Amino acid sequence: MENKTAFIFPAFITEFTGKEIDFLRNNGLNPTKYLKIISETINIDFPDFTYKNDLFREELTSQLLAYTFSCTYYDVLKQKSIIPDFVAGYSMGVYASLYSSKSIKFETGAKLIFDAYHLLYELTKTGLYGMGAIIGLPYLDVQELIQTSSLSVEIINVNNEHSLVVAGLKKEINILLEKSKEEGALTAAELTVDTPYHSKYLSRFAIPFKTVLNKLEFDDPQVPIVSTYNQRLIFSAEDIKQELVFNLTEKISWHKTMQKLVELGVNDMYECGAGKDLKKISRFIKGDYKLRSAYKI
Amino acid sequence: MAQITESTRSEVKEIVLEFFAEECEVEVSEISEKSNIIGDLDGDSLMFLELIEIFKKKYSLNIELKTIGKYAVKNPVKTIGELIDMQMLIIEHENNILDL
């Protein structure tokens, strides 16, 4: 079978490797320039990027920063004539995947992140909602814990067979995380977000978000995008809009998305973004593929 | 239950060091029993799980991951040396590790 390549895009940066800036500078790119474009597009005053600036840990700015690094990493790969056969974005990483498939301009992605965040802000600002990660317990065990404890928390993403993401009311998430630890989870930790992405609480935002999307310009993707919602291949601008609504308001499966890439014959994957979160998650996702951080090229 | 011999600890140590060297992209010589798994090596839970799978296969262990999780909550490990000691206990006691 012919070798196939996929670019995958993270949604967040848990931890920088510390090699990001050098990698980009050595390839003639400066993330600060990209951040300035974002500043002008959405009227946010970004300072110059430094690894230790806490501003970049806030929910909106961290998403914008992850998007910026993902797009700059993609630009490096493009400069080196490394072209993907497929792309996929983990959760909010979908926006960088659209940029890489030439469906949107860089500015449009920033605007999408900004608009989605503000649309959901009425939930976010309450401080009542959140997300959590559970590592080391099977899906069915966590589902049983939710049911037996009469919690309304949902498993909103399966990263791999040992790693799950949950969302819902913060106080219920904390109960679930405690019970998960008692049950033998190796890690059960709250995520630093106040928005219950991909949960039922976001269903009512589907139509307003579609309205936002209809005001922006999308082109048909030049590279097929794999849906994290149902793993279909996306070829049209109209389907992209539908996927963006699903990606915000419905459960996703990164595990199935990676499996789909493997089924499609992808054996070379590049993680386009700062940190190495997707590489870490790829443990326990079976397949004959090599996943490397883009800075390794 | 696996047979523990004098050479088992050195065998386990070699596997652990080589695993972390490869995963964390450092030389084996840069890792010691005092290395902090998170602080020095950027290790994570999934790495730990993968290592356990390696030992489960190598020593045909009968142990559930959540049993290890329950043990780890009460006996957290921070360094490579502590991790090697925990792996030894897992190999020796398998699912009975919680009775220790």
Side-chain angles (χ1 to χ4, degrees), chain A residues 43-95:
Chain A
N43 284 324
I44 280 189
D45 193 17
F46 274 122
D48 284 355
F49 172 75
T50 60
Y51 287 115
K52 290 188 176 168
N53 189 334
D54 284 341
L55 173 72
F56 293 115
R57 297 205 172 272
E58 291 170 12
E59 193 166 327
L60 173 61
T61 45
S62 69
Q63 281 184 32
L64 289 166
L65 190 68
Y67 172 72
T68 301
F69 271 99
S70 289
C71 293
T72 48
Y73 271 48
Y74 164 73
D75 284 345
V76 172
L77 293 174
K78 189 173 67 173
Q79 278 177 14
K80 294 184 181 294
S81 302
I82 301 172
I83 308 295
D85 296 287
F86 304 97
V87 297
Y90 181 108
S91 187
M92 301 307 134
V94 70
Y95 302 117

Side-chain angles (χ1 to χ4, degrees), chain A residues 6-70:
Chain A
F7 291 175
I8 55 176
F9 298 86
F12 49 83
I13 306 163
T14 307
E15 198 165 3
F16 287 97
T17 62
K19 295 171 184 167
E20 287 84 359
I21 298 296
D22 285 347
F23 166 70
L24 292 172
R25 287 200 178 134
N26 291 341
N27 285 285
L29 293 174
N30 181 352
T32 298
K33 282 187 185 171
Y34 288 72
L35 289 173
K36 279 189 178 148
I37 296 172
I38 292 181
S39 296
E40 287 162 14
T41 306
I42 57 176
N43 284 324
I44 280 189
D45 193 17
F46 274 122
D48 284 355
F49 172 75
T50 60
Y51 287 115
K52 290 188 176 168
N53 189 334
D54 284 341
L55 173 72
F56 293 115
R57 297 205 172 272
E58 291 170 12
E59 193 166 327
L60 173 61
T61 45
S62 69
Q63 281 184 32
L64 289 166
L65 190 68
Y67 172 72
T68 301
F69 271 99
S70 289

Side-chain angles (χ1 to χ4, degrees), chain A residues 121-141:
Chain A
Y121 190 65
E122 64 179 88
L123 284 185
T124 313
K125 71 180 179 189
T126 64
L128 294 173
Y129 301 93
M131 299 179 78
I134 298 171
I135 294 173
L137 280 188
Y139 183 98
L140 289 177
D141 285 19

Side-chain angles (χ1 to χ4, degrees), chain A residues 215-230:
Chain A
K215 290 177 187 164
L216 297 170
E217 266 188 46
F218 294 85
D219 291 321
D220 291 342
Q222 291 185 15
V223 178
I225 300 162
V226 180
S227 159
T228 51
Y229 166 67
N230 62 5

